[in-house]
Amino acid sequence: MNLTPLMKAAMIAVRDCMGAQPGENALVVTDTGKLAIAESFLYAFHSLGIDATLMVMTPRDHHAQEPPSEVRAAMLSSDIALLVTTKSLTHTHARVDATNQGVRIASLPGITEDIMTIGAMTADYQKISELSWKLTKLMESTQEVEITTELGTHLVMSLKGRKPGIPPDDGIYREKGRWGNLPAGEAYIAPVEESVNGVAVIDGSQSPLGLLSTPIRITIQDGKAIKFEGGTEATQFERHLQSLNDPNAYWVAELGIGTNEKARVTGNILEDEKAFRTIHIAFGMNTDMGGKIESKTHDDGIVTNPTVKFDGKIIMEHGNFVI
């Protein structure tokens, strides 16, 4: 792969988003599926005079699977860690423990050359930060959320006693212990698990399946997915959850709202969940964001063009922000 087209985005990530400085110890974690892209970040660190190491592992089997012990140890001993992987390490204990030790972390699961050259990595991160913080402040004072779509989504959930992700996933990770995704762009929260009821019609994409040809209609009762309807992809997603042999994989884990104007819904969940005009509902692990569910996975489903109400007040109408 010719790394030259990637270097601008790699420098944005290393210099602007992470605020890397000479004298810091940086780590790039990757796997054999993302090795070439990971090299661009390594070279970006080196071009700034920063000591950086590249560690390559076997791709994980699913999102939220822990990395090898050697990778975990390296993460814990770094100032900055970029996780350039096929499957997400975001919702792992290794990431949480490194964050708690003050490591600045950006997770880039499924990152592609396309995202780095024309997609979400090209956005104005100051604008992303402003909108993400605005939504986060609203979440802090919200008791109940209602989400509807013309395709049949109708969900109600409580945020009472829960705190949104602070700071939000805005792409600015310069302070000790800051972490999030790159590309960035979402405000998110773990709702009160047992409070989530209704139907979610996932019509954009669903992790780990990718872009959907037919919407997946998921019935949720007291916080757990109990029924999957739709086409072949609904069956595939249900079988994916069954294959984990993990009853906690069915719990609603997260409500997220996309805040990146450049992000597109392409089937790559890293970019999809940041897209304007979308919210996402995740199933599985959420202890890393203030919830109480331990799980082997964390699978996001994208809902497009929603109407979202915070305590009865519309903050998004058919996908358009009205705040």
Side-chain angles (χ1 to χ4, degrees):
M1 178 183 291
N2 178 11
L3 297 183
T4 302
L6 306 180
M7 290 308 300
K8 180 178 179 180
M11 287 298 293
I12 289 173
V14 168
R15 181 191 59 221
D16 302 338
C17 295
M18 306 309 297
Q21 298 293 325
E24 292 190 302
N25 175 27
L27 174 70
V28 181
V29 176
T30 192
D31 55 49
T32 51
K34 297 295 175 184
L35 181 55
I37 294 176
E39 288 179 346
S40 70
F41 295 100
L42 183 70
Y43 296 148
F45 279 120
H46 289 175
S47 71
L48 295 175
I50 295 165
D51 190 15
T53 301
L54 179 67
M55 293 191 74
V56 186
M57 63 183 183
T58 303
R60 304 293 85 188
D61 294 326
H62 54 79
H63 298 305
Q65 183 179 0
E66 295 295 323
S69 58
E70 296 87 352
V71 172
R72 170 189 168 84
M75 290 170 61
L76 291 170
S77 64
S78 300
D79 296 307
I80 301 170
L82 298 186
L83 313 179
V84 188
T85 55
T86 304
K87 299 294 185 180
S88 177
L89 298 182
T90 300
H91 304 281
T92 61
H93 293 292
R95 198 282 303 160
V96 173
D97 291 345
T99 295
N100 289 339
Q101 286 199 190
V103 183
R104 310 201 302 281
I105 296 176
S107 183
L108 302 91
I111 189 73
T112 65
E113 183 176 1
D114 182 60
I115 290 174
M116 291 187 70
T117 54
I118 63 173
M121 274 306 299
T122 67
D124 181 337
Y125 278 87
Q126 185 58 43
K127 290 177 64 176
I128 289 172
S129 184
E130 291 171 2
L131 177 56
S132 299
W133 273 106
K134 190 172 186 178
L135 287 166
T136 296
K137 294 297 184 183
L138 289 173
M139 285 181 176
E140 281 189 293
S141 59
T142 296
Q143 300 291 301
E144 183 178 88
V145 176
E146 181 180 11
I147 304 165
T148 58
T149 66
E150 293 183 352
L151 290 179
T153 294
H154 189 188
L155 285 175
V156 177
M157 64 189 70
S158 172
L159 305 185
K160 189 174 181 179
R162 293 293 172 88
K163 297 296 183 183
I166 296 178
D169 187 30
D170 62 357
I172 309 299
Y173 310 129
R174 299 180 180 180
E175 299 169 7
K176 192 172 183 179
R178 280 292 315 262
W179 73 276
N181 284 146
L182 284 178
E186 67 170 295
Y188 64 94
I189 194 168
V192 178
E193 289 83 4
E194 299 88 346
S195 75
V196 187
N197 283 284
V199 173
V201 179
I202 311 300
D203 62 312
S205 65
Q206 174 64 60
S207 172
L209 304 182
L211 203 62
L212 297 176
S213 59
T214 304
I216 301 174
R217 181 183 175 92
I218 304 175
T219 301
I220 298 166
Q221 181 177 309
D222 298 333
K224 296 190 76 172
I226 62 169
K227 190 175 184 181
F228 301 83
E229 300 173 282
T232 302
E233 291 148 321
T235 301
Q236 290 174 337
F237 182 55
E238 185 174 14
R239 287 177 178 171
H240 159 69
L241 295 179
Q242 291 171 344
S243 72
L244 297 172
N245 193 28
D246 176 10
N248 285 349
Y250 294 83
W251 281 98
V252 173
E254 175 192 6
L255 166 66
I257 301 176
T259 60
N260 187 320
E261 287 185 285
K262 293 290 188 178
R264 307 150 299 165
V265 179
T266 65
N268 186 323
I269 201 65
L270 174 66
E271 184 169 22
D272 296 353
E273 67 178 2
K274 314 305 184 339
F276 256 39
R277 305 182 64 86
T278 74
I279 61 98
H280 53 276
I281 301 294
F283 296 90
M285 181 174 172
N286 67 2
T287 54
D288 60 324
M289 59 177 67
K292 61 181 184 180
I293 304 301
E294 286 280 358
S295 178
K296 296 177 181 178
T297 194
H298 180 94
D299 292 310
D300 295 282
I302 308 299
V303 178
T304 68
N305 301 314
T307 294
V308 181
K309 296 180 181 178
F310 283 4
D311 290 333
K313 180 180 179 180
I314 296 175
I315 63 113
M316 181 186 286
E317 187 167 17
H318 302 303
N320 297 307
F321 286 111
V322 290
I323 55 174

